[in-house]
Amino acid sequence: MILEREAIRLKRLNYIIIGGVDMNKELEFAKELIDFIYESPTAFHAVETTKKILDKSGYNELKEEEKWQLKTGGKHYVIKNNSAIVAFEIGKDKIEEEGFKIIGAHTDSPSFRIKPAAEITSEDHYVKLNTETYGGPILNTWLDRPLSVAGRVAIKSDDVFKPIAKLVDFKKPILIIPNLAIHMNRNINTGVELNKQKDMLPLLSLINENLEKGNYLLNAIAKDLEVEPLDIIDFDLFLYEYEKGSIIGLNDEFISSSRLDDLAMVHGGLNALVHSKASQSTKVLVCYDNEEVGSTTKQGADSNLLSNILERIVLNMGGDREDFFRALSRSFMISGDLAHAVHPNAGEKHDPQNRPLINKGPAIKISANMSYTSDSDSSSVYAQLCEKAGIPVQWFVNRSDERGGSTIGPISSSHLHIRSVDIGTPILAMHSVRELGGVLDHTYVTRSFKEFYK
Ligand SMILES: [Zn+2]
């Protein structure tokens, strides 16, 4: 008993080594991910956080509208709409001979977007905000939780075509969506429909007689950004969970956080990019926006964003359009988006044979109707990368009577017509405001990315 307690104590201190894995390092890396997500409450902020890490790692920003001058070994990134980012390091060999090694992920997560003229009063006392659902959140997970607001604000400038974009993050719990008491909602534990227009509006404040009625939010933003309220023309503001993510479990096994989907893959891909040595081929990390709403925007996967940048790289390095197509035929893409781990309370919802588990490695995602790009050719590439990296790999397929989701892989690889595999670390509670992943898995998948970029 004493020995057991001692073992637990040592585990708590994170000094144990499990199967060649240094839990201390894995845990530190998982905490880095939690910090990264905390600094990235919206897609705009995820790009800003990514940019800061790239800047520190010797990458420099290229503007789409300017003339580029690229060189072998050059490290650059391009930002689109403040919410998508493409980073690359030009390889040592000719691109048409070595191709591009691309990791894809997405910056957005399900949430609620604040509508224009958002303030609604009720009972002449409460001030609540009118919102619209973004993507497919699990609505009930957003109830009774301290929430905050972040996003992008457009401010008046001298040139009407160039409003000034500023990011805002209240970093303070200013909102909450209160549940209805069980006494007025007797079926709440057997299934109650939540209406997105009626039941999900967050409470912001109480009407204060000393304050002017209305424009509470706009005034607060103006104060935060130190601009005049009248100079704010429009905004893209979203709700987010105020609480920071945490490590959970008796032995620190789990990561509990908002937006693991898909910031875990953004963070893993970014870490692999900045920490891998220069290679023969050109390394690319693309983080698209708007995956949660179908990707059909200029900054989404269903656009020519990546294709145009890759072509510009080839042309700028002295190649022609034929060289670009030759480069594509030698390229490979890992589309990183999270997978579903088998749920401990609902094992029957999963395929009977392929049952991904937390902390057992990234999962290759397969679908007969090709909602994932993986086929035997691309899957075998990824499986062998995992083997070389010394990490386990799993396989995910939906139960045949479950529809399942899709991701950026099929959309972007059909724009580029390149070989592609869909993978992701298995998590529980996908699209909850608090998703649950594995500490080891985050290191595992990042090691597979580093192997890929080698
Ligand atoms: Zn996703």
Side-chain angles (χ1 to χ4, degrees), residues 106 108 261-262 291-292 336-338 365 406-407 430-431:
H106 65 89
D108 62 323
D261 175 8
D262 190 30
E291 190 275 342
E292 300 294 352
D337 201 354
L338 300 187
K365 302 195 276 184
S406 188
T407 178
M430 189 180 286
H431 290 195

Side-chain angles (χ1 to χ4, degrees), residues 147-201:
L147 304 172
S148 192
V149 169
R152 179 177 66 172
V153 179
I155 295 158
K156 207 182 255 178
S157 74
D158 296 336
D159 182 347
V160 292
F161 288 100
K162 288 179 185 162
I164 299 160
K166 285 204 175 189
L167 301 196
V168 64
D169 179 0
F170 279 87
K171 285 198 170 167
K172 189 183 155 188
I174 54 171
L175 295 162
I176 194 154
I177 311 170
N179 241 308
L180 183 60
I182 194 167
H183 314 81
M184 292 157 221
N185 203 7
R186 291 286 174 193
N187 297 328
I188 193 160
N189 292 327
T190 48
V192 165
E193 192 184 333
L194 291 169
N195 182 293
K196 289 174 185 168
Q197 185 61 64
K198 181 183 175 296
D199 300 312
M200 298 308 294
L201 302 189

Side-chain angles (χ1 to χ4, degrees), residues 60 69 83 134 189 194 271 280 402:
N60 86 295
Q69 282 184 331
S83 64
Y134 177 84
N189 292 327
L194 291 169
N271 191 277
Q280 308 308 114
E402 293 279 344

Side-chain angles (χ1 to χ4, degrees), residues 333-388:
M333 177 163 184
I334 298 177
S335 154
D337 201 354
L338 300 187
H340 301 290
V342 171
H343 195 286
N345 298 340
E348 73 285 359
K349 289 284 182 186
H350 300 259
D351 181 72
Q353 292 293 99
N354 298 281
R355 303 176 72 76
L357 298 171
I358 282 186
N359 285 344
K360 296 281 185 186
I364 296 172
K365 302 195 276 184
I366 306 273
S367 153
N369 62 24
M370 300 313 280
S371 51
Y372 302 123
T373 54
S374 319
D375 53 26
S376 64
D377 167 60
S378 61
S379 299
S380 63
V381 171
Y382 187 73
Q384 290 182 92
L385 284 173
C386 290
E387 199 188 328
K388 277 181 86 177

Side-chain angles (χ1 to χ4, degrees), residues 175-324:
L175 295 162
I176 194 154
I177 311 170
N179 241 308
L180 183 60
I182 194 167
H183 314 81
M184 292 157 221
N185 203 7
R186 291 286 174 193
N187 297 328
I188 193 160
N189 292 327
T190 48
V192 165
E193 192 184 333
L194 291 169
N195 182 293
K196 289 174 185 168
Q197 185 61 64
K198 181 183 175 296
D199 300 312
M200 298 308 294
L201 302 189
L203 180 61
L204 172 70
S205 186
L206 298 175
I207 292 176
N208 180 338
E209 276 162 22
N210 300 324
L211 287 174
E212 201 187 328
K213 243 190 193 184
N215 284 338
Y216 290 83
L217 184 69
L218 221 57
N219 289 334
I221 295 168
K223 199 174 154 200
D224 197 80
L225 294 178
E226 295 173 346
V227 297
E228 286 302 315
L230 281 175
D231 287 342
I232 296 175
I233 306 165
D234 199 6
F235 48 71
D236 308 285
L237 293 176
F238 294 86
L239 309 191
Y240 70 92
E241 188 208 19
Y242 172 71
E243 294 289 331
K244 193 175 178 176
S246 53
I247 302 290
I248 298 260
L250 183 63
N251 297 313
D252 298 330
E253 297 94 332
F254 306 111
I255 305 169
S256 165
S257 176
S258 282
R259 304 183 298 284
L260 285 174
D261 175 8
D262 190 30
L263 294 186
M265 296 296 100
V266 173
H267 180 254
L270 178 63
N271 191 277
L273 181 71
V274 301
H275 288 123
S276 57
K277 287 195 187 121
S279 88
Q280 308 308 114
S281 47
T282 296
K283 300 183 281 184
V284 182
L285 173 70
V286 54
C287 306
Y288 293 109
D289 189 10
N290 302 127
E291 190 275 342
E292 300 294 352
V293 292
S295 297
T296 54
T297 58
K298 63 188 183 305
Q299 61 277 5
D302 199 359
S303 73
N304 287 334
L305 171 65
L306 180 60
S307 171
N308 290 354
I309 288 172
L310 299 185
E311 184 171 350
R312 278 183 80 169
I313 294 172
V314 173
L315 298 179
N316 210 286
M317 292 297 291
D320 58 19
R321 205 159 156 118
E322 189 179 20
D323 293 326
F324 170 56

